Amino acid sequence: MQINTISTQAYSDQKPGTSGLRKKVKVFQQAHYLENFVQSIFSTLPESNNKKLIIGGDGRYFNNEAIQIILNIAAANGYTDFIIGQNGILSTPAVSHLIRKYNAFGGFILSASHNPGGPDEDFGIKFNVSNGGPATEQNTDAFFAYSQSITEYKIADLATIETHSCGHYQQEQLAIQIIDAVDDYAELMQSLFDFELIKQKINAGDISLCFDAMHAVTGPYAKR
């Protein structure tokens, strides 16, 4: 696997908020912008023998390109095992669950929640740690501090990973698994709620149900 070291210049505006780093798509498309931020994350997280990452997003514009960039930089930084949602799709709570279920080091969530998407609209990225929760304020402060003085990043020269079909793929020394975006989360929900009883109550007219799936990528989960 060829790993390249790319010279770069720092951007001054990469301070994450509580929901990660959110900017217009055109900001993320600037040369080295996303690469700088992802390298800043890897350069400041604690060392671990756990090299497994979860990656997915809400499918908005730039989602698939960002996944490829993250994968390439992660591989260059020593990560070897990846679980990615089919078509690049994973909701925020689904990523949180997958991190815990598959004992991953952490996960990247590419989402700007209810913010509008599209070439002229918003994109977002955040990192969740091994307990499934968002990176701590101490973590995000470290990401930002590193991003202010970054001069280079490492990136692997990998072939594009197709995410359309579920399955296990091997590329170089990397193990990449493309999974159904909903399966694991639906299984979790079935362990928490009695869907059969809810169905009976709805059919009997005892309760009514309104589900708002307008935010992010909740639609596939609502349908399941």
Side-chain angles (χ1 to χ4, degrees):
M1 180 171 60
Q2 181 177 338
I3 297 175
N4 301 312
T5 300
I6 308 297
S7 297
T8 188
Q9 292 184 328
Y11 287 91
S12 62
D13 62 344
Q14 294 193 325
K15 185 174 180 60
T18 55
S19 297
L21 185 67
R22 293 186 179 181
K23 303 287 181 182
K24 294 297 182 185
V25 167
K26 285 183 168 56
V27 173
F28 276 102
Q29 289 177 321
Q30 295 176 98
H32 312 303
Y33 190 91
L34 178 59
E35 292 89 340
N36 281 15
F37 186 67
V38 174
Q39 183 63 63
S40 297
I41 292 174
F42 288 132
S43 294
T44 54
L45 289 170
E47 285 290 326
S48 173
N49 292 327
N50 188 342
K51 300 302 181 182
K52 181 182 292 183
L53 293 172
I54 313 296
I55 307 175
D58 60 16
R60 66 181 55 228
Y61 191 88
F62 195 57
N63 189 74
N64 291 340
E65 295 92 331
I67 287 174
Q68 300 295 332
I69 290 170
I70 292 168
L71 184 63
N72 289 355
I73 295 180
N77 281 271
Y79 292 85
T80 56
D81 293 281
F82 302 92
I83 297 175
I84 303 172
Q86 187 178 15
N87 295 314
I89 299 295
L90 284 174
S91 73
T92 297
V95 171
S96 178
H97 174 56
L98 290 170
I99 290 171
R100 297 190 302 274
K101 179 175 180 178
Y102 293 107
N103 190 33
F105 176 73
F108 284 90
I109 302 169
L110 307 173
S111 174
S113 297
H114 58 278
N115 295 17
D120 298 314
E121 298 298 345
D122 293 351
F123 188 78
I125 176 173
K126 61 181 176 180
F127 187 80
N128 277 27
V129 293
S130 59
N131 66 5
T136 66
E137 186 175 354
Q138 183 179 8
N139 291 140
T140 56
D141 285 347
F143 302 162
F144 177 60
Y146 192 92
S147 76
Q148 296 305 282
S149 59
I150 189 171
T151 59
E152 61 183 31
Y153 60 85
K154 294 186 293 184
I155 188 165
D157 188 11
L158 299 175
T160 299
I161 302 299
E162 296 297 337
T163 63
H164 303 304
S165 301
C166 295
H168 291 79
Y169 304 92
Q170 195 77 27
Q171 186 171 152
E172 304 283 347
Q173 58 264 51
L174 308 180
I176 301 167
Q177 184 179 1
I178 309 300
I179 65 169
D180 184 283
V182 183
D183 279 348
D184 291 288
Y185 191 69
E187 181 183 63
L188 173 64
M189 292 298 101
Q190 287 174 322
S191 74
L192 299 174
F193 299 96
D194 188 335
F195 284 114
E196 188 57 39
L197 179 59
I198 294 171
K199 179 180 179 180
Q200 292 172 14
K201 292 294 185 181
I202 292 173
N203 288 342
D206 295 335
I207 61 172
S208 61
L209 178 67
C210 178
F211 188 99
D212 179 1
M214 291 297 290
H215 288 181
V217 72
T218 319
Y221 298 85
K223 290 177 181 178
R224 182 72 60 88

